[in-house]
Amino acid sequence: MILIIDFGSQYNQLIARRVREHHVYCRIEPPEMDIERIRALAPEGIILSGGPASIYEKGSPRVDRGIFNLGIPILGICYGMQYMVDSLGGEVVGAQKREYGFAELHTKGTGGIFDGIEKKTKCWMSHGDTIGKLPPGFKITASTPDTKVAALENRKKNFYGLQFHPEVVHTPEGKRMLKNFLLQICGCKKSWTMKSFVKDSIREIKAEVGDKKIILGLSGGVDSSVAALLLHCAIGDHLTCIFVDNGLLRQDEAKKVRFVFKRDLKVNLRFVNAKREFLDGLKGVVDPERKRKIIGRIFIKVFEREARKIKGAEFLAQGTLYPDLIESRSAFGGPSAVIKSHHNVGGLPKNMKLKLVEPLKHLFKDEVRLLGKELGLPEDLIWRQPFPGPGLAVRILGDVTDRRLSILRKADAILIEEIKANNFYRKMWQSFAVLLPLKSVGIMGDQRTYEHIVAIRAVTSDDAMTADWAKLPHSLLGKISNRIINEVRGINRVVYDTSSKPPSTIEWE
Ligand code: XMP
């Protein structure tokens, strides 16, 4: 495994992705990590990430310098390289000119990190400081017109430094450089596959849980579904999944989850119909924040009530993913951590004193999908678009009633059917219908109508932090609009949302 020390660069998760693309397992850990723990992890190499700080700044992040005595290869990227130089007796100085963007890279010598790479290539720079003096035993291996020390190495010790970012796509040979570091320099084997992950995880879960029982809140989304299947493989019926039907789900959603998990996959599933409880609680509530609070509160109440019925349960499983884990503990987490927290509906039943099991906490989303495939989860569950915990309540503006839910469900089902039929489903981050708290005039046959308006929202995005409205073909929008107005009673107007995030959000609330 490769250890990535997190100095706070926005590209850290990208470094991890790149390493795993070569089927090498890696972990991102904070610089405060104890040297003994690092030794215990027995990494085959260490990557020191970039970061926004300057090495001379007070409080700039530092890792135990003992890493340079472990006898394993180390690659420093940007700030990571400057940290290495500063730690080993070289000198870092403030550059006259900040270098940002593409630069021509001229490499010298052969082998090492640049093995098999043309002498002239491009790289992506983003730095203020630069190297003034090399540490003893190091030599320069690449330069750009503005940066003399764009790369350096001490081949004897297997220490390498890159001033630029090999992990971003703007460094076209970056993948090759990382591959050289991982496979040739560190000697890693390409053994990180989903098959091996399943095997290792099952062993770890068994060791951690023994013959105790686990409860898992199944939402039908990819993360909780894959977590459920993995745990089911490890401990069978000692896992109980609780699925709460809050009445705010999309058409046929609850039925589908029941069929797949209970009937096909034979997972121990408790299906709780709590529709009335939720809808009664939401009666007359129009304020979106109040809706969220009410839904969260009722969810915990229902979940706890069910969980108590499972005698001897000691663990609660969650489908936490790696980005959540890194963001929640990162000292430089930035606004993303805060943005995420308001999406957590309810949270955990705190007073139940259950121990947490998070079997996906070292995986990225696309790896979770691969894992789902490996475990036999049906394709349409694997590729489901994200769906908010408070469900259709955030897509019905105004009062949430049975009738309004039914109208929105039908419109949404038509939209999804057309988006899928025209092969846009997987290209969208999300595509859904929203019911507005307005009516407008229409004409149907010879009759004047006064009915509801539905808005269509379709966005592309990588992480929901920013999103672009999808440029769906007019013909497809026309068909969706036509079908919704013709097939769903109560709607006489369909509009398309052409706002991006920011300044808008994805959900309308
Ligand atoms: P916004 O509307 O803030 O949404 O742009 C960003 C992403 O978060 C999803 N979302 C939620 N997910 N529980 C969730 O699990 C929630 O309460 C929740 N609210 C919004 C939203 O669908 C979008 O993908």
Side-chain angles (χ1 to χ4, degrees), residues 292 343 345 388-390 429-430 464 501 505-507:
R292 278 181 179 274
H343 290 150
V345 190
W429 172 265
Q430 277 169 306
K501 173 183 180 177
T505 51
I506 296 176
E507 301 291 345

Side-chain angles (χ1 to χ4, degrees), residues 151-214:
L152 46 70
E153 69 174 26
N154 178 338
R155 195 76 72 90
K156 221 164 108 199
K157 296 215 161 195
N158 262 331
F159 293 162
Y160 299 82
L162 302 176
Q163 182 57 75
F164 55 89
H165 289 274
E167 67 276 22
V168 302
V169 287
H170 314 303
T171 301
E173 294 284 4
K175 264 189 181 180
R176 177 74 192 250
M177 296 171 198
L178 287 171
K179 184 177 173 195
N180 287 341
F181 179 70
L182 299 169
L183 305 184
Q184 291 183 24
I185 297 170
C186 298
C188 295
K189 300 263 171 328
K190 295 175 123 194
S191 57
W192 163 251
T193 60
M194 277 308 140
K195 252 196 182 55
S196 66
F197 178 82
V198 170
K199 224 172 85 201
D200 294 347
S201 300
I202 289 179
R203 200 186 51 232
E204 281 167 28
I205 293 164
K206 280 183 171 161
E208 186 181 353
V209 177
D211 58 359
K212 308 287 188 319
K213 287 187 180 160
I214 302 185

